[in-house]
């Protein structure tokens, strides 16, 4: 199922499981009376849930005895927090000049087609999120694509499609 509530972007629906709620509560309890604990709590909670939906932020606010607007302010300020579900595999395609002219302009279209999503979207099965970046500092390997922590350079389209398929 897909909702369309993030600025027109395709956003998959992911419910927080009872096990995840239990872990969220444990994280909150472990930091309850410590000052400066909001960011570490949010980081750990995001690791558990994969993202920080509104109901989770409200639980954190209540648990740490903070106003929800304070929590929302932090989660929207820092780019390492995500408020929508992201894929198990984050695919970043370099669109810097070297990579663009070496084929990543065409590669982007192929990737969108294969994953069935646009840039900054996540597939319904949460397998992939697709992003573009400006120069990864590896221009000698252009065209470059990074999947999670792995850099794949000198890619041709067929090889790239094969590589993508290796990430479950
Ligand atoms: S332009 Fe792609 S790594 Fe520099």
């Amino acid at each position: 199922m897909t909702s369309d509530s993030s600025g027109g972007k395709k956003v998959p629906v992911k419910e927080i499981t009872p096990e995840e709620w239990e872990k969220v509560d444990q994280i909150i309890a472990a930091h309850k009376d410590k000052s400066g604990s909001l960011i570490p709590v949010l980081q750990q909670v995001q690791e558990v849930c994969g993202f920080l939906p509104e109901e989770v932020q409200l639980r954190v606010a209540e648990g740490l005895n903070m106003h929800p607007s304070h929590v929302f302010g932090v989660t929207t300020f820092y780019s390492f927090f995500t408020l929508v579900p992201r894929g198990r595999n984050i695919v970043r395609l370099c669109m810097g000049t070297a990579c663009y002219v070496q084929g990543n302009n065409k590669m982007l279209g192929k990737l969108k087609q294969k994953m069935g999503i646009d840039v900054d979207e996540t597939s319904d099965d949460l397998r992939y999120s697709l992003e573009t970046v400006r120069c990864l500092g590896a221009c000698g390997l252009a065209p470059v694509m990074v999947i999670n922590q792995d850099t794949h350079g000198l890619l041709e389209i067929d090889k790239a499609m094969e590589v993508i398929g290796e990430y479950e």
Side-chain angles (χ1 to χ4, degrees):
M1 198 164 80
T2 300
S3 77
D4 198 14
S5 60
S6 180
K9 294 282 178 196
K10 196 171 150 193
V11 179
V13 173
K14 179 185 178 293
E15 304 289 341
I16 305 299
T17 66
E19 294 75 29
E20 287 170 341
W21 278 122
E22 202 180 316
K23 285 183 189 158
V24 167
D25 288 338
Q26 286 168 0
I27 293 166
I28 294 169
H31 292 80
K32 218 172 175 41
D33 300 315
K34 296 181 192 156
S35 64
S37 59
L38 178 57
I39 289 180
V41 165
L42 290 171
Q43 283 174 320
Q44 288 177 39
V45 167
Q46 180 167 282
E47 265 171 43
V48 168
C49 303
F51 71 123
L52 296 170
E54 189 177 321
E55 68 264 31
V56 167
Q57 294 182 65
L58 288 171
R59 184 87 137 232
V60 169
E62 192 186 350
L64 297 181
N65 204 19
M66 286 176 183
H67 196 278
S69 64
H70 184 59
V71 177
F72 297 151
V74 168
T75 56
T76 51
F77 181 79
Y78 292 103
S79 60
F80 49 82
F81 291 127
T82 177
L83 310 187
V84 295
R86 297 185 83 209
R88 294 185 294 284
N89 301 296
I90 310 297
V91 179
R92 296 187 176 94
L93 191 67
C94 181
M95 297 301 276
T97 308
C99 290
Y100 186 90
V101 300
Q102 291 287 343
N104 271 3
N105 56 334
K106 290 200 186 83
M107 186 90 78
L108 183 60
K110 289 281 181 189
L111 285 176
K112 287 183 191 175
Q113 206 177 18
K114 184 168 176 72
M115 298 175 188
I117 52 176
D118 210 331
V119 174
D120 293 332
E121 289 186 348
T122 296
S123 58
D124 286 343
D125 59 2
L126 297 171
R127 186 174 176 185
Y128 302 115
S129 290
L130 178 62
E131 299 175 359
T132 55
V133 291
R134 292 277 160 205
C135 191
L136 291 156
C139 310
L141 294 176
V144 179
M145 173 172 72
V146 173
I147 307 177
N148 305 331
Q149 309 301 323
D150 310 330
T151 301
H152 301 277
L154 302 171
L155 277 175
E156 288 176 4
I157 287 178
D158 289 350
K159 178 64 185 166
M161 296 305 119
E162 205 182 300
V163 166
I164 287 282
E166 289 166 6
Y167 289 80
E168 289 298 328

